[in-house]
Amino acid sequence: MKAFLEKIRHSFSYPKGETPSSNSSGFREFTGWAYRKLSSIRTSIYILLGMALFYLLGTVFPQGANIDDYVQAGGRFVFAVRLFNLLDVFSGIPFLFLAFLLFLNIAICTYERFFHLLVQKMPVPRDFTPTATIPLTMDAHVAQGEIWNILRERLNFRLLSKGQEWTVMERGLSYRWLTWLYHAGIVVCFMGFLITYLFAVEDVVTLYPGKPVEITPSSPGRLEGLWRDRHPKPGFSIILDEFITEYVQHPSIDYPRDRVSRLAIALGWRDVTYTINEKSFFPKDWKSRLRILKNGLTVYEKTIEVNDPLVYEGYTFYQMAFEQRLRIGVDNNPILLEVKTGDELIVPGLTTPLRFTNLITGTLYRLDGGTEGITPFVTVKRTVKDEGGGKRTEKLGILELGGSITVDGKKITLADIEEASILSYRYDPGVGILWWTGLFVFLVITIRCFGGWYMLAYRIEESDGIAYLTLSIQTRGLIADRTKMTERLVYYITSSELKPTPLPPSS
Amino acid sequence: MDLLQDIVSRNAFLLTFEVRLFWLVAFIYGTGCFFLLLYIIFRSGHLGKASHAILWTGITLHTGLIILRTFEGGRAPFQTLYESLSWFAWSATITYLFVSRRWKDVYLPGFFVTLISVGACMYALLSRSPDVKPLSPPLQSYWFEWHVTLAFLSYAVFVVSFAVEMSCLILKPFLKRGMAQDFGLSLDGLDEFRGTAVRLVLFGFPLLTFCIFSGAAWANEAWGRYWSWDPKETWSLITWTVFAVYLHSMAIPSMRGLPASLFNILGFICMMMTFLGVNWLAKLLGIPSLHVYAV
Ligand code: HEM
């Protein structure tokens, strides 16, 4: 094992100053140099800072935006945006290259450290700076045995090395191994990211009640996409039986926006009030009753909601959004106009288009504990010019299903409604690895940072007939406490009749 | 209908009371901060001690306020930015008060912590709505409480770590010249005191790790994507990376001094960006952003 590891290591790296003999020395020198650089913690600092810079660019520039939209929205630095593909930083070569370097860096560091920990064994230091000296009233020889017993049996220390001068002991999980373990975990996480990056497939499907849709993602995963552009066909359909919306009653708050009025509330000159109106509907849940069909037969069914997706054959379906369509009648015209909520509708005979806000329908959970079916309604608005030449939104009224309102002499009727559920779905084989390794990394980091590790070196010397115990304690981890450990040791020494200390310990 | 009106007026009454209590808490923190400023000017330990007593009063009332809010909303009290700011101020102040119990006559970091807490309270009171909103569907997840509680715990320790680091950076040049001895620290003891900043980051780092991990798991459950590179997520990754850089730099002797201190401060700035300023930088540079946040 040791020879094997040595061989792998040597094939990559030449220690500084050593020159290879063959003609391919240039390349080997380069790999040796690169390996040395990539096994350095300093390099990891630079790479991590570089990554942070890319992340920063990703937060500043709208990722995934179209360059034309970006320019139209008044975006700046257009030249740099085009040159460095700043609207898609995280798929760009520079970022991926740096991520690859980080992967190499952490993989090499992990390997090197493993090599040191397992094969070469971390050398135990020989020299220590004393942290406490404790006088003992007993023969040094007897004290040796007693202290050894206390440390081993009472304080659970284990022997690391016994030199001529110092005896070195350790307690707690080795922080070096813990540090190594979670770094190794991060390497495995990288594999998970890579699997996601190469194989994940995702798309969106809009479902109308009773109409099955065959699942065919519009593009394959990145790796598959290299040799084929056909859609993967998992071979099943999905059908929406019912889309359910639920609301809770939440009164609208009357709270001033200006700071002086807010101060007035603080001083008791005004109160906060609530009123119940058409805005008092707060979404409680959106649910989709779904069935998976294979060859026309139902093979799986589930009602999903946000945070509770449906998983079938590696594909996960999530409740993402919904779409609402309204059929609007104008006067007594039998032809109905169709519009999606949120969109504008041009009504013949009206100078300004009308806008219909979210359709509220489903069940209402009232504040007083009762529930009621909501008569579906929308709020009708339009944008008008005010005297100053600016624009403002004018609320025209509430339109209930089957009901009507009159706008500029035109009778607007809400004749019919239809709701569709929008699901996003995804196939991602990287998630499982990431989930378990992420949990592992988190647990080990926690143990490493919070746990307590001690390395205790001691020696017992005699001077003027008095035996002295000299201690040197090093700690790692938040719960490790050198002072407390010294106090516990003193307690065990003094609590035994054999070893009273006539003098207090001096630090 | 009468019952409904009763409930609505009771809620309005409770909210009015709660808003006033929050103003009082902000005022008390402000007084504590003012005493710490006086302490910096006059260097009297009594002023420092008094400021701590004031802050303990504030934190007691603030704890009551948070409990009240929890009962009022029937859920964890950090859904809206108003609530998160209150929770942030509370957790930073209480962490400082606990950590500082180990120090003898050192009050300077308290000034930075209380300044940040007062700022958070005033931002909530002057710019956000105190409405007690029900939980929207995406927030109805068992990840919500864990994710946010631990995120804020990590933020709180990073605030205190920042305050310790700032105090050390400010005091060091004075102590070197034999001045500023009356801030409770000596040049010899400064390194050990700075060790508190590292320990705090070591405490906060696993929490932030969990926060990112649980956020990803939650996003995976709610939207089917564990990572979308949206600004909030990305800023938390920046913060995590910068604190990892800080911890690594503490392992390199030549970086352990000023560079490490600067990384710690940078980590704090990134943390504040994660919390508050997600789109601020884009706005500053006049870059349109596609992302909108509810809180
Ligand atoms: C995402 C990447 C990384 C993260 C999140 C990370 C995290 C950490 C943390 C939190 C510590 C301090 C706690 C401890 O000592 O266990 C640490 C220490 C350490 N890291 Fe990393 N690390 C990363 C990458 C790397 C890389 C690429 C290297 C390779 C050189 C590396 C080498 C080390 C070493 C050697 C230590 C121990 C320092 C000591 O003994 O005091 N880390 N890392």
Side-chain angles (χ1 to χ4, degrees), chain B residues 50 62 76 79 114 147 150 210 213 229 285 290 293:
Chain B
H62 205 165
Q79 183 191 354
T114 47
H147 176 70
L150 293 183
F210 177 77
F213 173 69
W229 292 113
L285 296 170
L290 300 176
Y293 281 91

Side-chain angles (χ1 to χ4, degrees), chain B residues 131-193:
Chain B
D131 196 8
V132 190
K133 288 215 166 83
L135 274 187
S136 62
L139 296 184
Q140 292 163 20
S141 161
Y142 47 80
W143 287 115
F144 169 58
E145 272 104 5
W146 285 107
H147 176 70
V148 185
T149 312
L150 293 183
F152 279 100
L153 195 55
S154 73
Y155 289 179
V157 292
F158 292 145
V159 167
V160 182
S161 176
F162 161 78
V164 170
E165 199 77 64
M166 283 297 286
S167 307
C168 291
L169 273 183
I170 293 170
L171 286 182
K172 197 167 183 175
F174 290 103
L175 288 171
K176 270 188 176 159
R177 279 185 231 131
M179 296 151 75
Q181 311 281 4
D182 33 13
F183 278 100
L185 289 166
S186 66
L187 194 56
D188 294 339
L190 202 64
D191 265 353
E192 201 183 321
F193 184 67

Side-chain angles (χ1 to χ4, degrees), chain A residues 397-461:
Chain A
I398 302 282
L399 189 54
E400 284 190 346
L401 181 62
S404 57
I405 56 167
T406 307
V407 182
D408 296 345
K410 295 251 162 226
K411 194 172 134 201
I412 308 289
T413 313
L414 180 57
D416 197 7
I417 55 170
E418 189 178 29
E419 281 190 299
S421 176
I422 302 179
L423 311 184
S424 68
Y425 63 91
R426 191 169 165 88
Y427 168 80
D428 186 350
V431 169
I433 296 183
L434 269 172
W435 176 245
W436 289 111
T437 331
L439 201 64
F440 173 79
V441 167
F442 161 66
L443 285 177
V444 183
I445 284 194
T446 307
I447 299 172
R448 157 65 185 92
C449 294
F450 286 64
W453 174 86
Y454 296 84
M455 187 162 75
L456 180 147
Y458 74 90
R459 64 171 183 228
I460 295 171
E461 297 152 312

Side-chain angles (χ1 to χ4, degrees), chain A residues 45-270:
Chain A
I45 290 185
Y46 298 140
I47 297 181
L48 285 171
L49 284 175
M51 296 288 284
L53 202 69
F54 273 103
Y55 302 150
L56 188 75
L57 288 173
T59 68
V60 169
F61 293 93
Q63 296 302 294
N66 180 306
I67 182 81
D68 296 331
D69 295 343
Y70 176 77
V71 174
Q72 255 192 355
R76 292 161 69 183
F77 312 108
V78 178
F79 178 71
V81 167
R82 276 189 212 279
L83 189 67
F84 299 111
N85 196 16
L86 292 179
L87 299 183
D88 198 7
V89 172
F90 302 115
S91 304
I93 301 286
F95 175 76
L96 292 177
F97 178 69
L98 201 63
F100 177 64
L101 277 189
L102 180 65
F103 170 74
L104 279 185
N105 184 207
I106 193 163
I108 291 174
C109 283
T110 305
Y111 172 71
E112 278 286 311
R113 233 173 137 76
F114 180 67
F115 187 82
H116 285 300
L117 284 168
L118 195 78
V119 181
Q120 290 186 337
K121 299 267 189 263
M122 284 292 195
V124 178
R126 284 156 184 264
D127 218 13
F128 296 90
T129 316
T131 52
T133 307
I134 303 164
L136 309 164
T137 53
M138 70 177 64
D139 171 53
H141 187 70
V142 182
Q144 281 286 4
E146 292 300 332
I147 296 293
W148 168 257
N149 280 345
I150 290 175
L151 287 172
R152 271 194 71 113
E153 267 136 49
R154 304 278 184 137
L155 295 172
N156 297 326
F157 275 89
R158 45 186 190 275
L159 182 69
L160 275 183
S161 81
K162 206 165 188 160
Q164 284 199 329
E165 201 182 348
W166 295 92
T167 303
V168 188
M169 302 182 86
E170 184 186 42
R171 180 188 142 135
L173 287 174
S174 158
Y175 82 95
R176 289 200 184 89
W177 273 106
L178 291 171
T179 298
W180 180 83
L181 262 178
Y182 73 75
H183 280 84
I186 297 176
V187 175
V188 182
C189 280
F190 266 92
M191 311 280 187
F193 293 135
L194 188 68
I195 293 175
T196 292
Y197 184 78
L198 294 179
F199 297 101
V201 170
E202 67 183 0
D203 211 334
V204 171
V205 58
T206 304
L207 296 173
Y208 285 90
K211 295 176 189 154
V213 176
E214 194 184 346
I215 294 305
T216 45
S218 54
S219 58
R222 274 193 179 86
L223 190 67
E224 219 180 338
L226 288 182
W227 71 84
R228 64 176 216 173
D229 58 1
R230 272 191 309 115
H231 323 148
K233 278 203 174 180
F236 60 83
S237 307
I238 188 160
I239 185 166
L240 174 72
D241 283 335
E242 193 186 2
F243 181 63
I244 304 156
T245 44
E246 292 173 347
Y247 291 85
V248 280
Q249 198 169 30
H250 179 62
S252 315
I253 189 169
D254 174 24
Y255 187 69
R257 283 183 163 266
D258 69 296
R259 292 171 182 179
V260 179
S261 309
R262 290 188 176 192
L263 208 59
I265 292 177
L267 297 171
W269 297 334
R270 262 188 85 152

Side-chain angles (χ1 to χ4, degrees), chain A residues 42 56 60 62 76 196 202 250 255 259 262 265 270-272 274 284 307 318 426 434-435 442 478, chain B residues 16 20 125-128 130-132 138 140 199 210 217-218 220-221 224-226 235 254 285 287-288:
Chain A
R42 192 181 278 271
L56 188 75
V60 169
R76 292 161 69 183
T196 292
E202 67 183 0
H250 179 62
Y255 187 69
R259 292 171 182 179
R262 290 188 176 192
I265 292 177
R270 262 188 85 152
D271 287 346
V272 186
Y274 274 124
K284 180 178 184 291
N307 285 313
Y318 305 88
R426 191 169 165 88
L434 269 172
W435 176 245
F442 161 66
L478 291 169
Chain B
T16 309
R20 285 183 191 142
L125 286 164
L126 292 176
S127 303
R128 314 300 308 182
D131 196 8
V132 190
Q140 292 163 20
R199 290 168 74 82
F210 177 77
W218 182 7
N220 190 53
E221 205 173 84
R225 251 183 174 213
Y226 59 80
W235 268 110
S254 62
L285 296 170
I287 292 166

